[in-house]
Amino acid sequence: MWSFALLEIFAQLFARIGVISLSLGVGDAAGRIFATGLRLIEVALMPLSFLGVAAYPGLSQLFVTSVPAFRRSAVT
């Protein structure tokens, strides 16, 4: 689970760095527009994040018990 937490920390960090550097380089208006669009994308992708976290234990168990079944689930 630490990999999901680490990914979320880095995603938030890079998003903040992007907004700050855009605000400093281009202007506050561009930074606000970028931040708004970024927030909309984050909200749209939130169910995908929850789905990944929810599927992780089942996929891990399937990998331990049956590697061919795990591979079939990864393909479909």
Side-chain angles (χ1 to χ4, degrees), residues 6-74:
L6 193 60
L7 177 68
E8 185 63 30
I9 289 170
F10 278 118
Q12 293 293 325
L13 179 67
F14 289 139
R16 300 306 185 261
I17 289 171
V19 171
I20 291 169
S21 56
L22 189 61
S23 294
L24 291 174
V26 178
D28 287 337
R32 280 188 231 118
I33 292 170
F34 179 75
T36 303
L38 191 62
R39 186 58 57 191
L40 289 172
I41 291 171
E42 286 177 0
V43 169
L45 293 178
M46 192 61 66
L48 185 61
S49 174
F50 288 142
L51 183 63
V53 171
Y56 185 76
L59 289 174
S60 296
Q61 182 65 30
L62 194 58
F63 181 77
V64 171
T65 57
S66 175
V67 174
F70 173 77
R71 290 190 179 152
R72 279 192 307 274
S73 69

